[in-house]
Amino acid sequence: MVEKALLEDVQDLVNLRMLLMKELGELNGSEELFRKATEEYFTANINSPNNYTAILKVDGKVVSSGSIVFFIRPPSPSNLQGKEAYVMNMYTAFDHRKHGYSSAILKHLMQYCQKSGVNRIWLNASSAGKSLYQKHGFIECESEMEYVFEKN
């Protein structure tokens, strides 16, 4: 059963995020700094009205999770309220895949967004995750660009 993550789940969330970043090849030798920053993020934001994290437990251990961050943009013709949600941290531990856990998490997040008055949900999908999102009605858009400031 999918449920809202609580403060007591932070370490499990950190562990899943570390596994996600390792699988994506994003860790570059700064694992301890990244782990600490991730723990601080979840601890500070687990009860924030601008964040929501859903988890699924098997035998009392979090094996799948996903988060959304809410924000308000200026109105657009397709989103007059401007309320949007960004999906992130979607991950299921490797040995718990192929049970529909990520699908259950995503459905839960989408329902939560709808109840919260969100008009647009967006995300960045890994190649492994694209089919999950497409199955739930997400479409690919190629308009996003990014700029990353260099570290000093």
Side-chain angles (χ1 to χ4, degrees), residues 46-59:
I46 201 81
N47 292 313
S48 167
N50 295 322
N51 290 268
Y52 182 86
T53 297
I55 58 171
L56 192 144
K57 293 181 181 181
V58 173
D59 298 326

Side-chain angles (χ1 to χ4, degrees), residues 67-68 85-90 106 109-110 120-126 129-130 132-134 138-141 144:
S67 301
I68 46 179
Y86 178 75
V87 177
M88 61 182 187
N89 299 326
M90 289 289 298
L106 185 59
L109 294 176
M110 291 172 73
R120 179 177 181 253
I121 305 170
W122 58 288
L123 53 84
N124 288 309
S126 66
K130 280 186 182 181
L132 168 71
Y133 303 120
Q134 289 170 334
F138 285 78
I139 56 172
E140 285 191 63
C141 300
E144 187 171 318

Side-chain angles (χ1 to χ4, degrees), residues 50 69-86 113 116-122:
N50 295 322
V69 176
F70 296 107
F71 56 96
I72 306 292
R73 289 188 176 191
S76 68
S78 63
N79 186 356
L80 295 176
Q81 291 76 29
K83 190 168 186 180
E84 295 187 0
Y86 178 75
C113 285
S116 300
V118 169
N119 291 340
R120 179 177 181 253
I121 305 170
W122 58 288

Side-chain angles (χ1 to χ4, degrees), residues 3-58:
E3 58 192 79
K4 181 186 184 314
L6 304 173
L7 196 55
E8 65 198 40
D9 301 311
V10 165
Q11 288 307 313
D12 285 335
L13 293 171
V14 171
N15 291 337
L16 284 179
R17 184 139 169 86
M18 294 298 292
L19 290 171
L20 170 62
M21 291 297 121
K22 183 176 182 181
E23 193 170 307
L24 294 175
E26 297 284 330
L27 295 177
N28 57 5
S30 60
E31 286 86 358
E32 286 309 310
L33 290 174
F34 179 71
R35 175 179 287 281
K36 185 176 188 295
T38 302
E39 182 178 343
E40 289 172 359
Y41 172 84
F42 280 119
T43 300
N45 290 287
I46 201 81
N47 292 313
S48 167
N50 295 322
N51 290 268
Y52 182 86
T53 297
I55 58 171
L56 192 144
K57 293 181 181 181
V58 173

